[in-house]
Amino acid sequence: MPGTVKNGVKRRGSRVETVIEHGRATVETALEHGRATVEDVLHHGRAAVESALLHGRATVETAIEHGRATMKAAILHGREDIRIEHVPVPEAGSGELVVEVGAALTCGTDLKVFRRGYHARMIVPPALFGHELAGTVVQAGKGVTKFRPGDRVVALNSAPCGQCYFCRRDQENLCDDLMFNNGAYAEYIRIPSRIVAKNTLRVPDHVPLEHAALTEPLACAVHGFEDSRPHPGDTVAVIGGGPLGLMILHVAALAGCEVIAIVRHDGQAEAAKLLGAAHVVQTRNIRQAIQMTRALTPSDRGVDIAIEAVGVPEAWQEAVELVRKGGAVNFFGGCAVNTHVALDTNKIHYSDFTLRATFHHTPAICRRALDLIAGGRFQAGAFITGHAHLYELNRVFEKLMNRSSEIKTAIVP
Ligand SMILES: [Zn+2]
Ligand SMILES: [Zn+2]
């Protein structure tokens, strides 16, 4: 990018020279007062910097890379706009932890946020981004007794208040004051005290950090499955071959259910089989999916449980068409705001359907999810289909948007 480089150097030249001439003390000043300057040059014209800085290069790099005053982190600025920036390394306040991120996993929710540029409940840009992570504690704030530097932990993306009406009724997933934390796509992340106290778990030595980072989505999957009140031997149809659909079907198969996976893409069909689906229905046609699924049950009566894991109204309607009399439907996938579905009230009533819509997780379920990962039967490795550096994050999300066969990519800072 010679053009960018020249402009960058011309525009910022005087500052860069200052940095070179006066050395490190200046770098700090430059970082503080003119951070965009040094960063622009480094990011957009790195090759140029090499010649421009020539002798001063080591200075700048030392300050940035080894001074640890700043770290690399992904900042979400809006729709399809993630920038890797240098931001101050967080410090642990009272009750808090700073965790060096070992692995952060991409997630369907992050993809939604990347596409839409915001998430009403979880994140308002510009903001640190990413929420599935595991890593190593590097700093423990005042009053933290459960953890110390060196501990390998998985810190969940949220924690309930423990005091509201819903928390007191063991429905912490619905807490009125659910606190969310973002910033997993970074070298370090600060874990707020409430999450340290309620939803940070020690990772057993034999569990790789990138597997432990699956705790959050797996907790959602376990919650959705258990909430559907399954019995061993039940026939369970799972609509959707995304990461959550695949997790739910794997959990259901491990629990002894006969799973029918309803997917669209070849990669999803393969993954579904690998993860224990007894049958795979692969079609883009909803009517066909319903027929084929019912045909897999005695006298076409329908499945015992249908779990929708796509998050579009058509799939919610499809789910209701799959179950037998007395069966249960779980509308697990969250649709966009202001979407509605039309359901056959007569059928729902006279067939005595149970309809549920499970959201999020609770601290108890998160613990069970990590136990499942540590137990060895859960094939954690199958869910991580790629690795990428933080700098490649935009490309990773673009790829995920194009429905590649990737399930989750581990982002290693
Ligand atoms: Zn997630
Ligand atoms: Zn609460």
Side-chain angles (χ1 to χ4, degrees), residues 105-110 131-132 157 216-217 244 408:
L105 305 180
T106 58
C107 158
T109 305
D110 290 344
H131 66 273
E132 296 178 9
N157 63 332
E216 195 272 327
L244 254 315
K408 280 176 174 289

Side-chain angles (χ1 to χ4, degrees), residues 115-331:
R115 258 199 213 122
R116 294 177 191 164
Y118 68 95
H119 186 293
R121 297 202 62 184
M122 280 176 59
I123 185 167
V124 183
L128 293 161
F129 190 42
H131 66 273
E132 296 178 9
L133 77 126
T136 308
V137 174
V138 290
Q139 195 192 0
K142 226 175 87 192
V144 175
T145 52
K146 278 200 303 186
F147 304 102
R148 45 176 188 198
D151 285 351
R152 298 163 82 245
V153 295
V154 53
L156 274 294
N157 63 332
S158 73
C161 76
Q163 267 145 46
C164 72
Y165 176 82
F166 300 97
C167 283
R168 281 186 278 116
R169 292 171 65 96
D170 291 332
Q171 291 179 301
E172 293 123 311
N173 57 313
L174 303 177
C175 173
D176 276 332
D177 182 28
L178 208 53
M179 167 198 269
F180 285 99
N181 192 32
N182 282 289
Y185 302 131
E187 291 179 272
Y188 299 93
I189 182 171
R190 186 182 67 91
I191 311 300
S193 59
R194 193 200 281 178
I195 295 180
V196 174
K198 300 193 175 179
N199 254 348
T200 299
L201 314 175
R202 204 176 298 271
V203 177
D205 289 341
H206 71 280
V207 178
L209 288 174
E210 64 182 36
H211 291 183
L214 289 165
T215 301
E216 195 272 327
L218 181 58
C220 295
V222 168
H223 192 196
F225 174 64
E226 289 181 354
D227 229 12
S228 310
R229 309 281 195 276
H231 302 282
D234 276 357
T235 304
V236 177
V238 179
I239 307 172
L244 254 315
L246 293 173
M247 262 186 203
I248 292 170
L249 83 79
H250 190 37
V251 168
L254 291 176
C257 294
E258 183 182 335
V259 178
I260 302 171
I262 303 173
V263 302
R264 291 192 159 187
H265 306 283
D266 293 345
Q268 297 173 337
E270 276 165 39
K273 273 179 219 153
L274 177 80
L275 294 168
H279 312 276
V280 177
V281 169
Q282 187 183 351
T283 172
R284 295 179 156 272
N285 180 309
I286 289 181
R287 286 252 62 89
Q288 204 178 16
I290 295 165
Q291 272 167 16
M292 289 167 74
T293 304
R294 296 191 76 100
L296 290 166
T297 62
S299 321
D300 287 8
R301 72 176 172 219
V303 300
D304 300 305
I305 296 170
I307 302 179
E308 189 282 344
V310 180
V312 297
E314 298 75 29
W316 281 42
Q317 285 167 323
E318 179 183 349
V320 177
E321 300 296 326
L322 298 175
V323 289
R324 63 163 169 82
K325 287 186 283 184
V329 173
N330 196 327
F331 303 118

